[in-house]
Amino acid sequence: MAIEYRITLDDNHQFSYRIELNREYDAAEAQQAPAWTRLEHQQCSNCPLSRDQFSHCPAAVDLHRVIEDFRGLPAFKKASVWVRTPEREYTKHVGLEEGLRALLGVIMATSACPVLARLKPMAQHHLPFANNQEFILRAVSLYLTRQYFNMREGRLADWELKGLVRLFQQLKLVNQAFWQRIHDTCEGDSNLKAFLTFFSMSSSMTVSLETQLQKIRPLVMSAGDSFE
């Protein structure tokens, strides 16, 4: 199962990527990656990995090709982004910031990083170019579905979303560290701004979950009593 991205700049320069959703950390490949991908370089404060087993950060190794492809390009540069998932295709003419945010997000969520891997269900139903409302609705929906199955299978269900807030608190730490990793190696601002917007979307879940829920309440409640 894979997701394909093709980013074509206005000058027709093209970049193509194929993201296998079920992949493992490749130690031999990691040794060929640049120095900024090493585990100890700007390592996340909540990283659970041991340097004895992982010489490099799994997510950084997966990301380095994209980072290096776009490191000198400005975020406002326009591009046509084509995405193919197993179910459908998407095309949008966007600034690099938006296109890279979608690409970086799916790569990170399917990496061997134990923290980021908790986003894999969202990556398996990838929605490129999602706005903040869509991001929140999908995250909350998937989390509550998991709680429903926990209840049915005799496990404790978290209907108050406390675990979701804790997850995004952990992701916030990862995003902050990655922003610094990329800041250390980037010449342009496209990657930095892509990470900044990805960071702000996930951070919104930790600042005030109730505020975010109230933003999507009209959408969820618009069906009235039809689901009762």
Side-chain angles (χ1 to χ4, degrees), residues 35-217:
W36 66 267
T37 67
R38 294 194 64 83
L39 188 64
E40 69 269 16
H41 182 81
Q42 301 292 351
Q43 186 173 3
C44 303
S45 60
N46 58 333
C47 178
L49 299 179
S50 165
R51 297 181 190 181
D52 294 334
Q53 295 178 300
F54 293 83
S55 60
H56 293 68
C57 166
V61 170
D62 288 345
L63 288 174
H64 83 83
R65 180 188 162 201
V66 179
I67 299 301
E68 290 167 3
D69 281 346
F70 294 96
R71 63 188 294 176
L73 297 176
F76 60 79
K77 194 173 184 66
K78 294 296 183 179
S80 292
V81 181
W82 171 85
V83 185
R84 180 163 63 191
T85 71
E87 292 80 22
R88 58 190 64 87
E89 296 182 8
Y90 304 83
T91 304
K92 189 175 182 181
H93 193 67
V94 296
L96 271 179
E97 173 190 344
E98 184 176 355
L100 285 177
R101 184 186 72 203
L103 175 58
L104 295 174
V106 74
I107 292 175
M108 292 175 74
T110 54
S111 75
C113 167
V115 180
L116 291 169
R118 296 181 66 183
L119 292 177
K120 191 171 183 178
M122 292 183 71
Q124 289 171 328
H125 300 278
H126 184 49
L127 181 64
F129 322 120
N131 60 31
N132 195 58
Q133 185 182 68
E134 290 169 326
F135 176 78
I136 293 165
L137 183 60
R138 295 176 70 234
V140 172
S141 298
L142 282 168
Y143 187 80
L144 288 176
T145 301
R146 182 182 180 92
Q147 303 318 305
Y148 172 73
F149 284 112
N150 281 342
M151 179 191 69
R152 283 188 54 179
E153 295 166 13
R155 294 185 293 272
L156 185 65
D158 171 29
W159 300 116
E160 296 182 358
L161 306 179
K162 293 179 179 178
L164 185 62
V165 173
R166 287 194 296 270
L167 168 60
F168 278 91
Q169 287 170 341
Q170 294 298 305
L171 291 172
K172 182 178 178 179
L173 296 175
V174 173
N175 289 337
Q176 288 172 332
F178 260 94
W179 189 91
Q180 192 59 54
R181 274 185 190 267
I182 293 176
H183 183 273
D184 288 351
T185 191
C186 281
E187 298 168 3
D189 66 348
S190 58
N191 291 304
L192 294 177
K193 287 196 173 181
F195 255 92
L196 194 59
T197 53
F198 184 73
F199 167 70
S200 64
M201 288 175 71
S202 57
S203 294
S204 67
M205 299 288 282
T206 65
V207 175
S208 175
L209 177 59
E210 183 59 32
T211 298
Q212 301 306 319
L213 291 174
Q214 288 304 316
K215 289 179 180 178
I216 64 173
R217 186 181 187 280

